[in-house]
Every structure is written in structure tokens, then in C-alpha cells.
């Protein structure tokens, strides 16, 4: 009965209730949308970094992790690869050779990290080919092709077909130089990466370094994102002499960013809801003051304080949850739709986002727990907003209240 | 034996500033099934006496025995429960719950008393039939006339079969015909259900129908006349 009265009371003043309902609906939908946009922004960065550069798990010689010396290679990479191929959780894996060096055109030189790859295997792992904007992905140049970023090409004043010289230290500690021909130019969303990373074939760089089978890194993708931690532990047990690291360890700033974003967004939602809470409080306070005589009558005929309190609480919670449900539905609909369509920021941001390693397309998304946390916050705010009007109702003196005009 | 008895009942408002004596040593007894009007000029203490009898206000001194229970000694929570189970109220301005239908309004107190649902429904319909609103069960207060609303209020007060009903100026807002209809109904229910009815009123129409008329002047009983049935 109390819930029935509470629900009907909400609709006694339709325009006032609708005003606050619409305010809650729009406020909450906007808060969810803003949160989904931020999460999409972070997720885009995450996808780019994890799926396209870092991959899910990397395996190194532990010394290489600390010093990054060319001599700190994996001792038996082919054997490790064979074992990885037998592991059903491993979707793709590829070997990489790493060396720090200097790349020089006729007029300019620049420090770079040289990554030796097996182009076909790498393509299956990181979509390096997808970043190609000019030339080809390791096709058309038979000897010493190099795949460089647009930023570096601009800096070196190089183009497809240009000859560049790579200088680096070989396994014997001697400086080696070799001429490479630009086969393709790529452009990722990370300007710094495009300026400091060049890709060559392992089959070209390894002999120059002094080891045909040389590899410093194995990068791999799991077939199930949720199983990465388990796979990492399994591989670490399988290769105890190596250092096996998952993306969380490899990109700690991403983990921190994800956690901070999630926490700050729920705080943002809380602030917005707190503002709406004052609107709810105002509506309920007006409602209580308008019904002084009725509340007095209820108390006079024997409705105890607990029930009066509960009735006001029910009214507030029902009002808030009706608005919140509408807001969540609207927010969910918008997020789902924009999550498929994407939001293109190219018009407003141009290429500036790329400086910070972000792309222009944002696909808003929110995980289910966020909706649940928001629902909990709505309940909390509704209950807090209801307290003052409910206590005001309890302070009424029935004998006086029933005579109020 | 008296159902209600007041002994030396006094009420002083603003005791510390400018004391106003609203009731002064009132001694009254009401028998089961009485139909009593409390009359007197404005400020004579009618409403104060009714509030005391209904447990809505505490006296400054004296006691109120209802079925031998001194309600002035009850704690607030006990008093609320006492009102719920033993007293019916009819107010001047009807004071129905606007969002509930007539039958829901009448059921309300019985629901608070946690009576069985089926019995509540049956009793609510029965008493609304008795007050002549059998065809308006599902009408909301706004869809009823003033007289009809006050009949719903009477039905609500009587539905739970309280020990007595207190009615504060119940006909004040009604036209003559509606007032007579209401008094007929209340008289009938008083007779049929043997419920004690106590009115505060200025209304001569009510005074003429009452079997006992108590006149208050300046908070004291000036006369207590029995008009017989």
C-alpha cells in the first residue's frame, strides 16, 4: 500500500515530477555518455598500444629487459617458438631482433630503434601493414628494405625508394653500417613511435649483427584476452630462465590510466548525481510542504513515524529510479549506437591527438559494472535526498497539521 | 461503565510566556454508544478537548481514561498505536488521501492494522454501501462532491470498528442537504454498530440531533444536557 501511495503521489503534480525526471534522465545520460567517451578514448589507446605494438605477452632474456644490449639475446628462440606453436592458447607469435642505432640520409641523421621482423609473421601479430600510407609492406625491394614512419621520413627528407644508412653495434661490439632502401612509409597514431622506430627484415639485420637465428624478443597474442594472466604464468613456469611479461607489466602507464579513468569517471558521475540530488530534494521538500494536512491526518489516524518516513523515502527512490532508468536507457542506447558508428574527432582535433598517441576515431563504451555502480550511486543519492524531506515530515505535529490551510 | 473518562483535565498553552488556559479542570464521562456534541464559542476549548481525547495532544494536568487505560501516560509510539486501534477520526476538511479511491481510503486504516485482506475488502465495500456510495467505490476524492467525500471519511473512521469516533466540525463545509444526509448516516451507524460518537460543532443542525450536548465556555464545562434518544 505504501509503495502504491508513493507511486501515485509522484504523479499528483505531473509537470513538477516530469521536470525533475527529465533532469535526472538527461543528466544521467550525459554523465554516462561522457564516461563512455572517456573510456572509449582510453580503450582506443589501449587497443592501439596493446594489440598493435606491445601485443599480449613478450618474452625476453631477463638481462635484455634491464640493459637492452644487443648481446642479451634469447639463446634458443626457435625451440621456444616450437613450444609456443604447440600451446593452444597462443594465437600468434613472432620473433623480433632489436638494436639501437642511427639512421642517416644524405643530410640528416637520427637515433632510432631498429626492429628486425619476419614481415608475414609480424603482420599476423600487429597489423604493421595496416599503417602503410605510401609504398609497400616489404614488397618490391629484394635487398635491405626498411619500413619507416612518416615523421622520420619527413625529418630525413626521405621518400619511398630513398637510400638510408643504418649504423649499429654488432654482437662483437663493432660498429656496423649498411645501406637500406625505403620500401614503405607508415603512419601510426603515435608520432613519437613514427619518428623513432624503423622495421627491417630479420633475414637482413641478423647477418649484419652476427647471428642468423638471433632474436631478442618474442611477442605473442593469446586467443582469449581474459586468459592472459594464466598464460603468462604458464609460460613463466615453462621457461623459468626467461622473463615473461604480460601487457600489464609492459605498459604500466596504460593500467594506471585505465584505473584512474574508471575511478575519476565514477567520481564525475557522483558529482553530477549530487547536483541532481539537490533537485530531487527540492521537489520532495515542496511535495512534503504541500501535503502538510494530509501527512498530519495520516499521523493522526495512526500511521506511525516509520511508515511516514518510509513513504517519503519510497516516493523519492521511485522518482529517482524512474528518471535514472530512463537516463540509463537513453545513455545505453546512445553509447551502443555511437559505439558502433564511432565519433570522428578529425574535424575538431586534426592531427593533434596523434602527438599524444591517440587516434581520431573514438568508440564510446562502458562495461556493465559501471552501469551497476551508477545505479548504486543513484540509490545512494536518492536516499540521501529523501532524508531531509522525510525528517521534515516527521516533525509535523498531527493536531496542528490537520488544520493547516 | 464509562468508555471515556476525563479527570481534572487541564491544558495551558504558553505556560512560560503568557499562559492561556484552554481547558480548566474538565471532568467528563462518556458511555458506550453515546451520540454527543461538544459546543461552545470559538476559543472555548472544543478542539483542544477533542485533541486530548484523541491522544493528539498532551494535557498539562489531569488524566484521560479510555477503557481504564490512562492514555496520558502512554509513550508516543504507544499512543500512535492506540489511536490506530481504538479511535476513529473525522476531520472538518475531509482529509482523504487524494491518490486513493474511495474503497482504498476506507481500507487504509484496516491495512495499517494489518487485518486480513479479504476481510478488509468486504468491510470497506459494506460500509461504503451503508453510507450510500456503493456505486462510487473506485472514484477518487477529486471526483466526489464535498458531502460524498465526508461520507467516505465517516466510512473510513468507522470501518475498523473503533471504540469511539471523534468528529471535528464534520458538517462545517457541507450544504444543508449534505449535512442532513451525513447526520442520518452517522446516527444510523451509531445505532447499528453501537459506536460512541463525539462531535465538536457550532452547527445547530448537529446540536439538534445529538442526544447529549456538552457546552464549554472558557475551557470549562458550562452545561451537560441529555436530550434523550
Amino acid at each position: 500500500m505504501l509503495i502504491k501511495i508513493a507511486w501515485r503521489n509522484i504523479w499528483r503534480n505531473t509537470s513538477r515530477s516530469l521536470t525533475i525526471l527529465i533532469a535526472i534522465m538527461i543528466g544521467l545520460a550525459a554523465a554516462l555518455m561522457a564516461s563512455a567517451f572517456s573510456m572509449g578514448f582510453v580503450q582506443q589507446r589501449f587497443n592501439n598500444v596493446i594489440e598493435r605494438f606491445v601485443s599480449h605477452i613478450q618474452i625476453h632474456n631477463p638481462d635484455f629487459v634491464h640493459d637492452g644490449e644487443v648481446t642479451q639475446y634469447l639463446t634458443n628462440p626457435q625451440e621456444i617458438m616450437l613450444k609456443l606453436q604447440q600451446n593452444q592458447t597462443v594465437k600468434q607469435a613472432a620473433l623480433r631482433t632489436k638494436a639501437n642505432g642511427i639512421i642517416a640520409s644524405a643530410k640528416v641523421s637520427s637515433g632510432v630503434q631498429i626492429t628486425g621482423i619476419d614481415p608475414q609473421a609480424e603482420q599476423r601479430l600487429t597489423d604493421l601493414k595496416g599503417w602503410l600510407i605510401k609504398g609497400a609492406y616489404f614488397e618490391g625491394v629484394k635487398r635491405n628494405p626498411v619500413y619507416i614512419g612518416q615523421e622520420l621520413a619527413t625529418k630525413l627528407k626521405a621518400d619511398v625508394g630513398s637510400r638510408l644508412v643504418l649504423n649499429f653495434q654488432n654482437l662483437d661490439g663493432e660498429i656496423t653500417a649498411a645501406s637500406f632502401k625505403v620500401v614503405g612509409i607508415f603512419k601510426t597514431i603515435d608520432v613519437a613511435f613514427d619518428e623513432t622506430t624503423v622495421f627491417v627484415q630479420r633475414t637482413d639485420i641478423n647477418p649484419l649483427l652476427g647471428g642468423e637465428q638471433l632474436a631478442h624478443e618474442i611477442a605473442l597474442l593469446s586467443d582469449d584476452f581474459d586468459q592472459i594472466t594464466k598464460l603468462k604464468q604458464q609460460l613463466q613456469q615453462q621457461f623459468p630462465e626467461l622473463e615473461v611479461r604480460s601487457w600489464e607489466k609492459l605498459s604500466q602507464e596504460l593500467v594506471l590510466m585505465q584505473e584512474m579513468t574508471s575511478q575519476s569517471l565514477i567520481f564525475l558521475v557522483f558529482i553530477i548525481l549530487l547536483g541532481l540530488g539537490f533537485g530531487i530534494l527540492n521537489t520532495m521538500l515542496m511535495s512534503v510542504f504541500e501535503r502538510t494536512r494530509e501527512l498530519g491526518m495520516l499521523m493522526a489516524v495512526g500511521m506511525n513515524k516509520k511508515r511516514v518516513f518510509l513513504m517519503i523515502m519510497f516516493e523519492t527512490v521511485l522518482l529517482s529510479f524512474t528518471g535514472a532508468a530512463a537516463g540509463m536507457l537513453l545513455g545505453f542506447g546512445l553509447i551502443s549506437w555511437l559505439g558502433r558508428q564511432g565519433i570522428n574527432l578529425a574535424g575538431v582535433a586534426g592531427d593533434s591527438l596523434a602527438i599524444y598517441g591517440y587516434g581520431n576515431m573514438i568508440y564510446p563504451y562502458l562495461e556493465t559494472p559501471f552501469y551497476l555502480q551508477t545505479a548504486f550511486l543513484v540509490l545512494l543519492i536518492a536516499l540521501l535526498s529523501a532524508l531531509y524531506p522525510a525528517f521534515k515530515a516527521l516533525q509535523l505535529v498531527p493536531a496542528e497539521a490537520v488544520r493547516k490551510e | 461503565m464509562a468508555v471515556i473518562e476525563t479527570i481534572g483535565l487541564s491544558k495551558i498553552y504558553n505556560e512560560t510566556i503568557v499562559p492561556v488556559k484552554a481547558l480548566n479542570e474538565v471532568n467528563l464521562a462518556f458511555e458506550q454508544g453515546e451520540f454527543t456534541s461538544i459546543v461552545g464559542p470559538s476559543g472555548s476549548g472544543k478542539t483542544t478537548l477533542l485533541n486530548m481525547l484523541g491522544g493528539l495532544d498532551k494535557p498539562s494536568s489531569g488524566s484521560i481514561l479510555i477503557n481504564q487505560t490512562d492514555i496520558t501516560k502512554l509513550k508516543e509510539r504507544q499512543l500512535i498505536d492506540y489511536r490506530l486501534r481504538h479511535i476513529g477520526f473525522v476531520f472538518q476538511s475531509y482529509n482523504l488521501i487524494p491518490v486513493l479511491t474511495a474503497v482504498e481510503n476506507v481500507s487504509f486504516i484496516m491495512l495499517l492494522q494489518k487485518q486480513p485482506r479479504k476481510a478488509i475488502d468486504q468491510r470497506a465495500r459494506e460500509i461504503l454501501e451503508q453510507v450510500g456510495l456503493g456505486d462510487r467505490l473506485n472514484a477518487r476524492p477529486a471526483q466526489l462532491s464535498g458531502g460524498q467525500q465526508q461520507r467516505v471519511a465517516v466510512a473510513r473512521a468507522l470501518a475498523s470498528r473503533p471504540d469511539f469516533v471523534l468528529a471535528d466540525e464534520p458538517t462545517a463545509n457541507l450544504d444543508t442537504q449534505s449535512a442532513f444526509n451525513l447526520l442520518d448516516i452517522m446516527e444510523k451507524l451509531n445505532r447499528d454498530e453501537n459506536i460512541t460518537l463525539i462531535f465538536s460543532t457550532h452547527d445547530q443542525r448537529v446540536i439538534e440531533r445529538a442526544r447529549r450536548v456538552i457546552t464549554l465556555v472558557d475551557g470549562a464545562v458550562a452545561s451537560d444536557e441529555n436530550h434523550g434518544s
Side-chain angles (χ1 to χ4, degrees), chain B residues 77 91 100 136 164 205 218:
Chain B
R77 191 177 289 181
F91 304 96
L100 298 184
R136 305 306 310 271
F164 62 97
R205 297 168 299 192
D218 294 334

Side-chain angles (χ1 to χ4, degrees), chain A residues 1-2 4-12 291 293-294 296-307 311 394 396-405, chain B residues 47 51 54 56-57 76 80-81 83-84 87 89 91-101 104-105 107-109 111-114 117 140 156 168-169 200:
Chain A
M1 182 57 116
L2 280 186
K4 188 196 273 183
I5 294 176
W7 176 251
R8 289 187 190 171
N9 273 335
I10 292 173
W11 302 107
R12 280 167 76 161
R291 283 152 55 200
R293 203 168 66 190
E294 184 184 320
M297 178 276 294
L298 292 172
M299 292 158 100
V301 300
M303 191 166 177
N304 60 30
K305 291 194 169 187
K306 188 177 133 195
R307 282 177 168 146
M311 188 178 75
L394 293 188
L396 293 174
V397 178
E400 291 170 11
V402 288
R403 300 182 148 265
K404 203 100 176 173
E405 288 305 318
Chain B
T47 300
N51 284 345
L56 295 173
D57 206 351
E76 199 189 343
I80 292 171
D81 197 55
R83 289 202 297 265
L84 176 65
I87 310 172
F89 289 90
F91 304 96
Q92 182 179 337
S93 309
Y94 329 133
N95 284 358
L96 297 175
I97 303 169
V99 294
L100 298 184
T101 62
E104 287 169 338
N105 263 290
S107 304
F108 185 71
I109 289 170
L111 282 167
L112 290 180
Q113 291 174 338
K114 296 185 178 164
R117 194 76 204 215
R140 288 202 182 182
R156 178 180 66 186
D168 186 13
E169 310 255 9
S200 77

Side-chain angles (χ1 to χ4, degrees), chain B:
Chain B
M1 190 193 291
V3 181
I4 309 164
E5 193 175 358
T6 67
I7 302 163
L9 195 66
S10 295
K11 177 70 181 178
I12 303 167
Y13 290 109
N14 294 330
E15 284 184 66
T16 52
I17 313 165
V18 186
V20 177
K21 219 165 197 178
L23 286 180
N24 188 11
E25 296 284 332
V26 174
N27 296 297
L28 288 168
F30 301 88
E31 302 293 330
Q32 180 69 44
E34 272 191 7
F35 193 109
T36 306
S37 279
I38 298 169
V39 300
S42 287
S44 59
K46 301 187 298 292
T47 300
T48 305
L49 177 61
L50 236 57
N51 284 345
M52 299 287 158
L53 295 177
L56 295 173
D57 206 351
K58 292 259 181 190
S60 303
S61 63
S63 49
I64 304 162
L65 301 176
I66 296 175
N67 291 326
Q68 302 305 308
T69 303
D70 186 352
I71 65 165
T72 62
K73 301 273 192 304
L74 296 178
K75 289 180 180 162
E76 199 189 343
R77 191 177 289 181
Q78 294 171 312
L79 206 51
I80 292 171
D81 197 55
Y82 201 88
R83 289 202 297 265
L84 176 65
R85 297 186 189 284
H86 300 278
I87 310 172
F89 289 90
V90 178
F91 304 96
Q92 182 179 337
S93 309
Y94 329 133
N95 284 358
L96 297 175
I97 303 169
V99 294
L100 298 184
T101 62
V103 71
E104 287 169 338
N105 263 290
V106 173
S107 304
F108 185 71
I109 289 170
M110 293 184 282
L111 282 167
L112 290 180
Q113 291 174 338
K114 296 185 178 164
Q115 289 190 23
R117 194 76 204 215
K118 207 172 170 184
I120 292 173
D121 203 45
Q122 198 180 342
R123 174 68 175 159
R125 286 167 189 277
E126 174 193 299
I127 200 145
L128 277 169
E129 292 280 354
Q130 281 181 273
V131 299
L133 291 172
D135 56 339
R136 305 306 310 271
L137 296 177
N138 295 314
R140 288 202 182 182
Q143 297 165 320
L144 299 172
S145 68
Q148 288 173 324
Q149 286 188 56
Q150 195 62 304
R151 278 190 268 162
V152 175
V154 168
R156 178 180 66 186
L158 292 165
S160 58
R161 296 189 176 90
D163 293 343
F164 62 97
V165 171
L166 299 172
D168 186 13
E169 310 255 9
T171 54
N173 292 344
L174 302 181
D175 59 59
T176 304
Q177 191 54 50
S178 299
F180 279 129
N181 284 343
L182 187 79
L183 288 167
D184 288 343
I185 289 162
M186 293 184 90
E187 242 179 346
K188 185 174 181 300
L189 289 168
N190 166 252
R191 229 181 5 249
D192 294 351
E193 311 227 356
N194 197 32
I195 291 173
T196 310
L197 288 174
I198 302 171
F199 297 83
S200 77
T201 189
H202 278 110
D203 193 338
Q204 198 55 38
R205 297 168 299 192
V206 179
I207 299 167
E208 283 166 7
R209 302 285 279 269
R211 292 196 288 278
R212 181 181 174 193
V213 178
I214 298 166
T215 308
L216 291 181
V217 176
D218 294 334
V221 177
S223 69
D224 186 350
E225 296 166 357
N226 226 317
H227 292 182
S229 55

Side-chain angles (χ1 to χ4, degrees), chain A residues 74 77-78 81 93-97 116-118 121-122 202 213-215 217-219:
Chain A
L74 297 164
Q78 299 305 332
M81 283 297 280
L95 292 165
R96 291 170 183 166
T97 304
I117 57 170
D118 298 320
E122 192 67 33
R202 284 181 67 236
Q213 300 301 321
L214 190 67
E217 182 174 286
I218 296 173

